[in-house]
Amino acid sequence: MDLPEDYKKGFKDFLGAKIDLSKKPLIPREETAHWVDVAIKEIKEGEECLDLFAGSGCVGLATLKNVKNSFCDFGDKEKIFLEQIKISLDLNDIGDERYNLIETDVFSNIKKQYDYILANPPYVAEDRIDEVGEDVKMFEPSIALYGGRDGMKYIKTFLEEAVNHLKEKGIIYLEFDPEQKEWIEEIIIDKYSKFEFLKDQFNKYRFVKIEK
């Protein structure tokens, strides 16, 4: 089986940002680009964002590239992905005063509050591993894909803790598997004031906007 074309090319264009893939992070998906495009049209100049479970850093990089004077912390537990993000930040001429790179297991090393938290956690259910393409299983990092038996392992932790890291009127954008919608709604109702589930370009519920 051949290496995915984006790995062969070495980069991926993502909403105007050039995402380096030399260290083989998860390849940015078009479903992710759909909701990130929605989010960056809302984020205002000077606002502070967190790209959590950052991986390739595509979410935060697109934010910094498209929103003037915005600031973004990138959080991931894998050092190699933080190294990957730094390559892309330099590639896109993003000044180091506009970001921090944080090695963190979910919120373990996150100390501040943000206007926006943008999250694409590992959410593929191990029960559904057979539905994952063979090329994805062979070449892309499993740590960026699988979220426990039902795919909710990281999402649960994230939603329980994220409220503490939002500024007043702060907003979360969270990507998930459509089959997890009802489970996610049960968690959100207890902790947040307002939320809206939204569909991707393929008419599937793929992300949720949550307000503190």
Side-chain angles (χ1 to χ4, degrees):
M1 187 173 289
D2 287 345
L3 194 69
E5 286 300 317
D6 290 314
Y7 284 155
K8 288 181 183 178
K9 188 168 61 173
F11 68 92
K12 178 97 172 179
D13 290 317
F14 189 89
L15 299 175
K18 189 172 184 179
I19 310 301
D20 184 86
L21 301 174
S22 59
K23 296 184 181 293
K24 307 296 189 293
L26 191 72
I27 297 169
R29 271 37 176 193
E30 54 187 317
E31 296 94 330
T32 303
H34 179 87
W35 70 258
V36 175
D37 188 45
V38 172
I40 60 179
K41 286 173 180 173
E42 288 186 3
I43 298 169
K44 297 179 178 63
E45 181 176 342
E47 289 191 314
E48 295 184 298
C49 305
L50 171 65
D51 176 2
L52 195 57
F53 312 101
S56 70
C58 63
V59 174
L61 279 152
T63 303
L64 292 172
K65 196 79 174 178
N66 287 280
V67 185
K68 186 178 180 181
N69 294 327
S70 57
F71 179 90
C72 187
D73 283 342
F74 295 83
D76 202 286
K77 68 178 181 179
E78 297 297 313
K79 285 183 179 179
I80 192 168
F81 294 155
L82 296 175
E83 294 168 3
Q84 178 71 94
I85 293 165
K86 176 59 175 163
I87 293 171
S88 290
L89 286 161
D90 292 342
L91 191 63
N92 288 275
D93 296 319
I94 305 294
D96 58 11
E97 75 282 357
R98 296 186 64 198
Y99 67 85
N100 288 314
L101 301 172
I102 304 170
E103 186 179 347
T104 182
D105 187 358
V106 195
F107 287 104
S108 62
N109 287 321
I110 304 296
K111 308 302 182 188
K112 59 189 283 189
Q113 293 183 321
Y114 300 89
D115 298 293
Y116 283 84
I117 299 178
L118 312 170
N120 183 11
Y123 61 72
V124 175
E126 291 171 4
D127 287 351
R128 299 177 62 197
I129 195 169
D130 291 341
E131 299 176 29
V132 178
E134 290 301 318
D135 57 335
V136 175
K137 286 190 279 191
M138 182 173 292
F139 296 110
E140 297 195 60
S142 60
I143 195 166
L145 287 166
Y146 302 116
R149 184 187 58 77
D150 59 4
M152 288 289 293
K153 176 182 176 182
Y154 297 103
I155 290 174
K156 286 177 182 174
T157 302
F158 171 81
L159 288 173
E160 287 167 359
E161 299 180 12
V163 66
N164 300 318
H165 295 277
L166 285 173
K167 295 181 182 179
E168 187 177 354
K169 297 184 179 179
I171 291 172
I172 293 167
Y173 275 89
L174 170 69
E175 182 175 332
F176 60 88
D177 185 292
E179 293 198 3
Q180 296 160 344
K181 178 177 177 290
E182 290 184 8
W183 297 332
I184 290 171
E185 186 169 358
E186 288 176 5
I187 300 171
I188 294 173
I189 285 172
D190 288 338
K191 292 187 172 293
Y192 299 89
S193 64
K194 187 178 177 183
F195 62 93
E196 181 182 8
F197 285 95
L198 298 157
K199 293 183 177 181
D200 63 19
Q201 62 269 57
F202 306 111
N203 203 36
K204 293 183 177 181
Y205 283 108
R206 179 67 61 186
F207 63 108
V208 60
K209 177 183 177 181
I210 309 169
E211 299 182 32
K212 185 174 183 179

